[in-house]
Amino acid sequence: MRRKGLRLNHQAKQTSRVMAQYELKTREGVNWVEVTLNNEMVRTESGAMRYIIGNIAMESKASQGGSGGLLGGLMKAAITGETLFRPQYTGQGKLVLEPTLTNFFVLQLNNEEYILDRGAYWASDGSIEVSAKRNQAVAGIMGGEGLFQTAVRGSGVVVVQTPGPVEVLDLVNQRLVVDGTFAVARSGSLNYRVEKSTKSLLGSMTSGEGFVNVLEGTGRVYLAPVPNLYVMLQNMMASMVPTSSGG
């Protein structure tokens, strides 16, 4: 099977120094990311490393958790299941990340902030600040996104993990209603809340939609509404596993 790859190079606009190079690889439906470092630092999700070639040092550091410091970050991690400690890799060589059935896309930030769906963060330049964004309690519980989501801000590259191919929507003072959690990344400028799918609670419950996620304002949204074939089959198989432990 021929090996395919998409190579993405980027340079910081304020300097001519070459930054890390990210390659999105795929083979027989399995996807992974390879990062070439030239004396830079990149950050990844915990447990994402597959192997390293070259003189690259790894150090585990806590992500920025906003207010509350380390203790607050540990409490958020316990509540949400999100990773607090994300390893940093510094040096020269190649960093190969774990293969997965999910898809990846590269998000280029230019002094801006994006909010990511739970589990969507995979890797980023060292120039990107990774922290936690707190949702309103009702929105987090009813909308399925959780009380905290991962926020990325700054200038540089972020690699995002998605269940399938992405669609890009640019909102200009518009309202987007999403049934589910397939909005994998959104501009930090957008207002997020949860609403009933109809005007009445009874109507929302009987409509089959219940509560929906609403994004409103001006900004960009990355949607992954259709899982790829392998993720869809994986979900179907998981749904057939009995949940009852009787007997």
Side-chain angles (χ1 to χ4, degrees):
M1 175 68 69
R2 186 171 64 89
R3 182 168 165 173
K4 303 176 183 177
L6 174 62
R7 186 168 185 150
L8 298 132
N9 301 339
H10 72 287
Q11 293 182 328
K13 295 182 179 179
Q14 67 272 22
T15 176
S16 59
R17 185 172 71 87
V18 176
M19 304 295 284
Q21 300 174 357
Y22 297 81
E23 294 182 75
L24 308 186
K25 300 282 191 175
T26 182
R27 183 189 296 170
E28 298 180 1
V30 178
N31 305 298
W32 71 96
V33 180
E34 296 184 3
V35 188
T36 301
L37 284 78
N38 185 21
N39 294 319
E40 298 101 14
M41 187 271 278
V42 299
R43 184 180 290 109
T44 73
E45 179 67 335
S46 177
M49 189 269 287
R50 183 69 166 178
Y51 64 89
I52 293 172
I53 303 174
N55 187 23
I56 298 176
M58 179 178 67
E59 183 180 11
S60 182
K61 290 204 169 185
S63 302
Q64 299 293 324
S67 61
L70 179 60
L71 180 58
L74 289 170
M75 292 180 64
K76 292 173 186 176
I79 293 172
T80 64
E82 285 288 322
T83 303
L84 174 64
F85 291 92
R86 291 188 170 95
Q88 299 177 358
Y89 300 87
T90 307
Q92 189 167 15
K94 178 173 285 189
L95 167 65
V96 179
L97 303 184
E98 287 284 354
T100 174
L101 295 176
T102 57
N103 289 39
F104 296 102
F105 77 94
V106 169
L107 184 61
Q108 176 74 58
L109 301 189
N110 183 19
N111 193 27
E112 54 191 331
E113 178 187 52
Y114 270 80
I115 312 302
L116 307 183
D117 188 22
R118 182 183 299 184
Y121 175 84
W122 195 240
S124 63
D125 286 338
S127 58
I128 298 295
E129 178 187 342
V130 183
S131 61
K133 172 78 171 182
R134 187 181 185 279
N135 292 321
Q136 294 182 356
V138 173
I141 296 171
M142 302 303 246
E145 296 289 3
L147 294 177
F148 295 92
Q149 289 180 271
T150 299
V152 290
R153 64 177 62 88
S155 296
V157 160
V158 179
V159 179
V160 182
Q161 183 178 210
T162 75
V166 294
E167 300 176 9
V168 182
L169 293 180
D170 287 312
L171 304 182
V172 181
N173 292 323
Q174 291 174 294
R175 181 172 181 265
L176 171 66
V177 179
V178 178
D179 177 25
T181 58
F182 54 81
V184 294
R186 68 179 188 269
S187 297
S189 58
L190 292 171
N191 178 47
Y192 164 69
R193 64 180 183 274
V194 171
E195 293 182 354
K196 301 187 297 291
S197 56
T198 66
K199 291 183 178 180
S200 70
L201 180 59
L202 179 60
S204 299
M205 294 298 100
T206 56
S207 70
E209 303 300 337
F211 291 88
V212 293
N213 293 327
V214 178
L215 302 173
E216 198 166 30
T218 298
R220 175 166 287 186
V221 183
Y222 291 84
L223 300 176
V226 181
N228 66 45
L229 175 62
Y230 302 100
V231 171
M232 187 175 294
L233 289 173
Q234 191 177 47
N235 292 339
M236 290 175 61
M237 293 175 64
S239 67
M240 291 188 292
V241 176
T243 56
S244 173
S245 59

